[in-house]
Amino acid sequence: MSESTADERLRRWRLVLGGDADGTGYGPTGDDIRIDRALAALYRPETPAPRGSGRGSGPRAAGLGASAPSVARWLGDIREHFPAGVVQILQQDAIERLDLTRLLLEPEMLAAVEPDVHLVGTLLALNKLMPEATKEAARAVVRTVVDDLERRVAQRTTSLVQGALDRATRINRPRHHDIDWNATIKANLKHYQAEHRTIVPERLVGYGRQRHGVRKDVILCIDQSGSMAASVVYASVFGAVLGSMRSLETSLVVFDTNVVDLTERLSDPVDVLFGTQLGGGTDINRALAYCQSLITRPAETIVVLISDLYEGGVRDEMLRRAASMQAAGTSFVTLLALSDEGAPAYDHTNAAALAALGSPAFACTPDLFPEVMAAAIQGLPLPVPEV
């Protein structure tokens, strides 16, 4: 190991361990002092800063204090010295460990944070407590995150879902203007005539004559309890994307112990998010009863329940409703979470009961969601991720 590599390893261990008697023998210098203090403020808050010590020298000090200016300085330091992904983790840890949610009600604080899905969830939970002066700043933060998510998922979602709709309505004896030439060529490649450099289309594949109308109804039913915050954010974005497709009639319903239909706000996911109320109890049965009332074409309807399945309502009735919808021909999909996070906490008994009804319950990443929708549209097995 070269001397420079060994020094870098000692440097990293010193920043991880913190404190003066850390055993590395390495003392931070330059920018490392500020990095060390930023980490100490978050992960060693029980250690007070020595009286009279400056920000750039002296032993490792800790504590963000209770003032917005000191937290804003800390946010500036971590944004300067860490990549965006790490900044988001540090912010989330600060909110949870040091109870900084109160400071997020101040506009100057919101201007200093790195926007991410978790921060949006926190802001939505504080929505009813926000003074008017803060709400515009909060909406700007939420808008930044939503726009970024839409750029990430919109094109792939539209492409996969539209392709699934086309395949679901194809016919094998189409009229000339209904022929899907790409699919027809693909289906007849084995009939390629090399000497004539052409394909003999023994089987024509068509889109079907319904291609310009609404072909599927989608109902997104979202649990807005506090633990589902990230899922609510992603589901609102996907709802807006699906709602923009003319081939789909998309409804968006959120619930806790009450049920709210936010379909009219689908064109703007920020409006959807500020129409939610994170927290409270959970009545899945009541939500499914409302969704069931929206179904007019059972065989052409997909209901997507996004919930951790901790039912506070009538469990047996919830399961009967799910079974009834499936018996009528409705596709019923249960997602325990719609987020980039790991395995969620959920009610295993209810998940197993739904799986026994033919609706496997699983956590879904945003990248997988378009494939789930495409499979549901075509009546194919869902791409359930391996546990």
Side-chain angles (χ1 to χ4, degrees), residues 88 92 114-124 145-146 149 152 229-234 338-341:
Q88 292 170 4
Q92 184 66 16
E114 182 77 21
D116 72 335
V117 170
H118 295 292
L119 181 61
V120 169
T122 302
L123 292 178
L124 296 179
V145 174
V146 164
L149 291 179
R152 170 182 166 184
S231 297
V232 171
V233 176
Y234 281 114
L338 178 56
S339 71
D340 284 313
E341 299 171 352

Side-chain angles (χ1 to χ4, degrees), residues 14 17-26 44 59-60:
R14 170 60 181 80
L17 295 172
D20 298 317
D22 53 32
T24 64
Y26 178 90
R44 299 184 69 219
R60 183 169 183 157

Side-chain angles (χ1 to χ4, degrees), residues 348-378:
H348 291 258
T349 302
N350 285 337
L354 286 171
L357 295 175
S359 177
F362 58 96
C364 179
T365 65
D367 290 336
L368 183 63
F369 183 76
E371 296 180 26
V372 170
M373 288 303 304
I377 286 168
Q378 296 179 81

Side-chain angles (χ1 to χ4, degrees), residues 45-363:
E46 73 283 355
T47 306
R51 180 174 298 178
S53 62
R55 291 178 66 226
S57 62
R60 183 169 183 157
L64 292 179
S67 69
S70 66
V71 177
R73 284 195 299 270
W74 178 79
L75 287 167
D77 284 345
I78 65 173
R79 293 180 75 167
E80 179 181 350
H81 296 293
F82 297 99
V86 176
V87 169
Q88 292 170 4
I89 293 171
L90 294 175
Q91 284 181 175
Q92 184 66 16
D93 283 351
I95 291 170
E96 293 176 357
R97 294 168 63 96
L98 304 181
D99 193 23
L100 298 184
T101 44
R102 178 179 59 83
L103 293 178
L104 291 176
L105 300 178
E106 302 184 25
E108 61 269 26
M109 278 294 299
L110 291 177
V113 295
E114 182 77 21
D116 72 335
V117 170
H118 295 292
L119 181 61
V120 169
T122 302
L123 292 178
L124 296 179
L126 295 172
N127 182 26
K128 302 301 182 185
L129 302 176
M130 282 183 186
E132 288 301 318
T134 306
K135 286 190 175 180
E136 274 308 305
R139 288 185 72 90
V141 171
V142 174
R143 174 70 64 189
T144 298
V145 174
V146 164
D147 288 349
D148 181 65
L149 291 179
E150 280 196 291
R151 284 191 294 269
R152 170 182 166 184
V153 306
Q155 183 175 357
R156 184 165 180 268
T157 301
T158 302
S159 175
L160 284 177
V161 170
Q162 190 62 56
L165 287 165
D166 291 341
R167 285 188 291 275
T169 57
R170 281 174 182 158
I171 56 178
N172 291 325
R173 298 181 64 184
R175 298 182 181 185
H176 184 270
H177 60 275
D178 288 332
I179 296 174
D180 180 347
W181 288 108
N182 287 334
T184 295
I185 291 170
K186 185 176 180 181
N188 290 277
L189 285 176
K190 62 182 177 181
H191 304 304
Y192 178 68
Q193 304 292 315
E195 64 274 19
H196 300 295
R197 301 181 66 185
T198 189
I199 291 173
V200 178
E202 291 190 2
R203 180 170 69 89
L204 299 177
V205 180
Y207 290 114
R209 300 189 67 185
Q210 296 180 346
R211 67 191 184 283
H212 299 304
V214 173
R215 284 178 269 168
K216 292 287 182 180
D217 299 332
V218 176
I219 302 173
L220 299 178
C221 185
I222 310 168
D223 183 342
Q224 61 176 350
S225 58
S227 60
M228 301 296 293
S231 297
V232 171
V233 176
Y234 281 114
S236 298
V237 172
F238 277 114
V241 174
L242 296 176
S244 70
M245 299 179 64
R246 293 182 179 180
S247 300
L248 298 177
E249 184 71 32
T250 303
S251 301
L252 190 145
V253 176
V254 299
F255 68 93
D256 42 34
T257 52
N258 295 308
V259 180
V260 181
D261 191 328
L262 297 176
T263 302
E264 292 185 356
R265 303 189 188 188
L266 262 180
S267 60
D268 187 347
V270 174
D271 278 348
V272 169
L273 289 170
F274 277 93
T276 63
Q277 178 60 62
L278 293 179
T282 307
D283 193 337
I284 304 172
N285 175 52
R286 187 173 184 179
L288 292 184
Y290 179 79
C291 292
Q292 202 167 16
S293 73
L294 299 178
I295 298 174
T296 57
R297 306 186 304 155
E300 304 300 330
T301 300
I302 301 165
V303 175
V304 182
L305 172 64
I306 304 174
S307 173
D308 54 18
L309 299 180
Y310 287 112
E311 173 64 313
V314 184
R315 175 184 182 272
D316 290 342
E317 187 64 22
M318 173 195 77
L319 296 174
R320 278 195 293 271
R321 290 190 189 281
S324 174
M325 283 188 267
Q326 292 188 97
T330 297
S331 296
F332 190 86
V333 179
T334 306
L335 303 181
L336 302 170
L338 178 56
S339 71
D340 284 313
E341 299 171 352
Y346 64 95
D347 189 307
H348 291 258
T349 302
N350 285 337
L354 286 171
L357 295 175
S359 177
F362 58 96

